[in-house]
Amino acid sequence: MIIKILLLFTLIQNIHLRDIPTPPNPNQFTIRAGKPGGPSSQIEVTTNYVDRFAQLFRIDVTNLGRLTEQSFYYGESKTGYYVYYDKNPPRCEKINHNDADMLADWQKLPYAGKTRSVYNPKIECNMWNQTDQSYTWSYLASVKDNTPIEILDNSILISIFTNYTIGPAVVPKSVFKLPVPEKSCKPPK
């Protein structure tokens, strides 16, 4: 009898786990995060290029259309770089962790259920949350095709994902070339 109950419990648990969606996590993609136009448009816009097969990662941050900083990570050598364009020549810091993958942290967040997009309420979304003492970040992806939609902070729209494209053609190897000489990159102070 106990074995039958355990088997039934395991079956129910497996059915439930199969129904929990997984966050978007393609191997090769380009994505942009920022709020377009209007009175509350986002000044900083982030573009992320990822090729997990080649272990190459890059993030560009622009402020009012001007490149202000970049982050690179080369998985094979486990080396990363921050490049800051606030001075001439640009400053570069060498790091040993990957800060250049916007979808990586999303994979560790607990699933929170279904909701509607704030930016476009016609879109039904799956939601994953990161909760701390004073805030809850929510990451939304469409139920229909698991496309990243937006990030919320305590249910307030922070950023909209746009230009989400996947496949090898969207991440040519040339986009991962460090734009400054590597010898100019120093460890952070």
Side-chain angles (χ1 to χ4, degrees):
M1 181 68 172
I2 293 175
I3 292 175
K4 287 181 182 179
I5 292 173
L6 285 174
L7 286 172
L8 181 62
F9 179 74
T10 303
L11 178 66
I12 292 170
Q13 185 178 13
N14 286 339
I15 289 170
H16 177 69
L17 288 175
R18 191 176 18 193
D19 291 340
I20 296 176
T22 57
N25 195 24
N27 285 312
Q28 297 168 308
F29 69 89
T30 300
I31 192 169
R32 179 171 288 139
K35 285 198 285 190
S40 63
S41 64
Q42 192 166 328
I43 294 172
E44 285 194 343
V45 176
T46 305
T47 305
N48 193 192
Y49 306 89
V50 171
D51 186 341
R52 290 195 175 99
F53 291 129
Q55 298 181 54
L56 299 170
F57 305 85
R58 169 182 163 180
I59 286 184
D60 295 350
V61 178
T62 59
N63 190 332
L64 296 173
R66 186 180 142 265
L67 184 63
T68 58
E69 59 187 90
Q70 293 179 297
S71 179
F72 293 85
Y73 186 75
Y74 305 107
E76 195 170 284
S77 64
K78 295 186 181 358
T79 306
Y81 302 92
Y82 295 137
V83 181
Y84 301 99
Y85 294 94
D86 57 344
K87 295 185 178 168
N88 194 6
R91 294 180 298 124
C92 180
E93 294 180 354
K94 190 173 186 176
I95 57 174
N96 61 1
H97 58 278
N98 187 359
D99 278 342
D101 185 350
M102 289 195 308
L103 300 185
D105 287 342
W106 197 337
Q107 309 311 308
K108 303 171 199 155
L109 301 180
Y111 180 67
K114 290 184 177 15
T115 189
R116 293 275 172 192
S117 164
V118 171
Y119 180 68
N120 184 353
K122 294 178 184 175
I123 301 174
E124 184 181 29
C125 296
N126 288 309
M127 177 171 56
W128 293 264
N129 286 338
Q130 173 183 350
T131 303
D132 201 338
Q133 291 176 332
S134 60
Y135 67 88
T136 297
W137 286 91
S138 300
Y139 296 79
L140 278 62
S142 65
V143 168
K144 180 180 176 187
D145 57 7
N146 208 26
T147 298
I149 300 293
E150 62 200 16
I151 301 173
L152 310 175
D153 179 6
N154 291 326
S155 299
I156 297 170
L157 182 64
I158 295 300
S159 206
I160 299 167
F161 293 113
T162 59
N163 298 9
Y164 178 65
T165 51
I166 58 175
V170 301
V171 285
K173 300 294 180 255
S174 59
V175 302
F176 301 107
K177 185 177 183 310
L178 191 63
V180 296
E182 185 184 8
K183 64 183 179 199
S184 70
C185 301
K186 309 292 183 222
K189 295 177 183 177

